[in-house]
Amino acid sequence: MAERWLYRGKIEHTAKSVERLYTTAYNCYSKGRMLTRLGIGVVLVIVSLTVSMPMSARAVLMLVGAWLMASRDFPGQIQADRAVEARHGSLPGMDYEFYPDRVRLSGEGSMNIPYKKFTRLVEDEEYLYLFLDKDSVCMLPRSSVEPQPAEDFMKFVEGKTGLSWRREKSLLSLNLWDLRQLWRDIRGKK
């Protein structure tokens, strides 16, 4: 008799879900780059306001600085656009089955992943992300998790991976604990 899954979920990717996937991955793994972009933007705006130069040069510095400050996840959006273009709009669907010792993926091929291979668990209002690394992630809508509620599934995955679910925050809402975690992430620690 075949082994039965404990939980399952699926996703049919759209351009919007691919953009959300890449933006979330960028937010998780590139906070150092985001801080650098923000810092450069602030410096450019300050220079444009304080240094004597022609008005056209001030305007260019102010524009570039403001854009760098406002577009914190722009590189993630660019990656998503490239991924959608490379697939010519034919986006994959993935099915996930969660067993006691592994996750079974199927869609464009199939594979088994032991829980200990996952390195980060991230949640947002609509999706759950199980990262293997910054370029490999299982993404599933909360609403697709069977059996519901998704919170039971999340506890199950936490127990199997030894990781905790995290919510990525904007740079402006980081607290001291978040900054400590950011420092650990940048240095490559869990």
Side-chain angles (χ1 to χ4, degrees):
M1 186 170 148
E3 184 179 20
R4 179 163 159 70
W5 48 265
L6 301 173
Y7 291 94
R8 71 177 177 180
K10 64 181 177 179
I11 186 168
E12 292 295 329
H13 278 290
T14 63
K16 182 180 175 184
S17 70
V18 170
E19 181 177 334
R20 195 125 166 210
L21 171 68
Y22 278 91
T23 300
T24 300
Y26 183 77
N27 288 340
C28 288
Y29 288 95
S30 299
K31 281 230 174 18
R33 281 183 65 191
M34 293 167 65
L35 286 171
T36 301
R37 288 172 59 92
L38 178 64
I40 292 170
V42 167
V43 168
L44 291 176
V45 169
I46 290 171
V47 167
S48 73
L49 294 173
T50 60
V51 174
S52 178
M53 63 179 75
M55 186 59 78
S56 59
R58 282 181 181 211
V60 169
L61 284 178
M62 178 89 61
L63 181 65
V64 171
W67 181 78
L68 285 171
M69 289 188 309
S71 63
R72 65 180 178 87
D73 58 5
F74 183 70
Q77 293 171 359
I78 293 297
Q79 287 177 324
D81 290 343
R82 287 182 182 153
V84 170
E85 280 181 31
R87 298 185 63 91
H88 306 292
S90 176
L91 301 174
M94 297 298 294
D95 293 311
Y96 305 100
E97 294 176 343
F98 297 84
Y99 294 93
D101 61 339
R102 71 192 182 287
V103 178
R104 175 114 176 114
L105 280 76
S106 55
E108 294 184 322
S110 62
M111 66 186 300
N112 290 311
I113 302 172
Y115 288 104
K116 293 300 178 190
K117 293 249 182 188
F118 291 103
T119 60
R120 187 176 292 192
L121 304 175
V122 177
E123 65 172 314
D124 64 24
E125 308 79 36
E126 196 173 340
Y127 295 100
L128 301 171
Y129 308 85
L130 293 84
F131 284 93
L132 293 163
D133 60 42
K134 70 177 186 160
D135 297 319
S136 185
V137 61
C138 299
M139 174 186 185
L140 61 154
R142 288 174 180 267
S143 62
S144 77
V145 173
E146 295 176 19
Q148 285 286 328
E151 289 72 23
D152 291 346
F153 164 73
M154 293 169 68
K155 288 177 188 171
F156 168 79
V157 172
E158 278 184 336
K160 293 297 183 176
T161 62
L163 303 169
S164 297
W165 290 94
R166 296 163 50 171
R167 281 191 177 261
E168 291 301 317
K169 298 180 179 178
S170 82
L171 289 174
L172 299 177
S173 66
L174 295 177
N175 60 30
L176 189 56
W177 187 91
D178 296 326
L179 291 172
R180 190 180 110 232
Q181 187 65 44
L182 171 60
W183 179 250
R184 286 182 176 176
D185 291 344
I186 289 171
R187 297 193 60 201
K189 298 179 183 175
K190 285 187 189 176

